[in-house]
Amino acid sequence: GKIVSTTPLTYLVGQVFALPSDHEAYRYSFMIVDEQRMAHLFPETEEAFAALHSLEQDIHFFAADLADNTLHGYGVQVLENTYDFQSLELWRHVVPETERILSVAFRMPEDKVYTQIKVLGDRRILYKYVNPNTLFLVTGDAHAGENAGLTCSVIDSVSGTVLHHEHLKNALGPVSTVMSEN
């Protein structure tokens, strides 16, 4: 491809999110979160800003802090007269001191749900839980001893609610995780 333009950034990039949009004017807009958890719109256009401002209440993201052993959930708030947004911590999931975060996975936004039901062998219907805002957290014992194991949690990334929690005894890392509709 050909480079059409370049824009120098005045901040260090922490995370990048493609913003949901079907409108042609801001189809390729991104929210860039810097290391101070400030959110920036890219590219900085009036149309993209207006669209992002209308989605302000629906934009949520999370970050795993391996040093503090915590998972943080954030929302965004518009800063007046700028193309920047302040991130607001909405929830915090603190992992017990005896464990450490091994892996975090989430569903990709473009991952489609092909069917919301599963027909069982006896012709009953099982409805799937299809919340697009779930993430999968795996923690493990920091000092593997007689209580060694892995803890798996499914968490709602908007509210921070633990939807499911399971401890697997005698399981050890390393762990690789993927979350997808099945």
Side-chain angles (χ1 to χ4, degrees):
K2 181 172 104 175
I3 297 175
V4 177
S5 67
T6 60
T7 304
L9 300 177
T10 59
Y11 46 84
L12 295 175
V13 175
Q15 293 175 296
V16 178
F17 304 98
L19 296 173
S21 173
D22 292 330
H23 192 279
E24 187 66 34
Y26 49 88
R27 181 175 303 184
Y28 301 106
S29 297
F30 299 91
M31 182 178 74
I32 302 173
V33 180
D34 66 23
E35 290 185 334
Q36 280 72 43
R37 300 283 179 235
M38 290 291 294
H40 309 273
L41 179 63
F42 186 84
E44 295 178 348
T45 63
E46 289 295 327
E47 296 85 7
F49 180 75
L52 185 57
H53 195 322
S54 69
L55 295 170
E56 176 183 1
Q57 299 299 318
D58 298 325
I59 296 176
H60 300 88
F61 64 96
F62 72 92
D65 187 344
L66 300 180
D68 288 342
N69 216 23
T70 56
L71 199 59
H72 303 269
Y74 298 95
V76 295
Q77 179 181 25
V78 175
L79 295 175
E80 295 300 319
N81 301 320
T82 69
Y83 288 108
D84 298 334
F85 295 78
Q86 180 177 353
S87 61
L88 305 170
E89 185 177 71
L90 302 175
W91 57 268
R92 178 182 303 175
H93 181 80
V94 180
V95 176
E97 289 181 16
T98 58
E99 298 182 10
R100 60 185 168 85
I101 295 175
L102 298 177
S103 182
V104 180
F106 58 94
R107 241 182 83 204
M108 300 305 286
E110 62 273 2
D111 193 12
K112 302 290 184 215
V113 175
Y114 294 102
T115 178
Q116 294 188 1
I117 62 169
K118 178 170 178 65
V119 179
L120 302 175
D122 60 0
R123 298 196 180 271
R124 287 184 300 143
I125 295 175
L126 177 66
Y127 291 93
K128 293 181 183 178
Y129 183 77
V130 290
N131 181 350
N133 301 310
T134 53
L135 61 95
F136 186 67
L137 172 68
V138 180
T139 61
D141 295 332
H143 307 289
E146 61 185 57
N147 293 331
L150 298 176
T151 301
C152 303
S153 303
V154 178
I155 300 173
D156 184 317
S157 65
V158 174
S159 67
T161 304
V162 177
L163 303 171
H164 185 73
H165 182 81
E166 191 73 34
H167 182 75
L168 306 171
K169 292 183 180 181
N170 300 321
L172 298 173
V175 176
S176 296
T177 55
V178 175
M179 187 169 187
S180 179
E181 189 275 331
N182 188 352

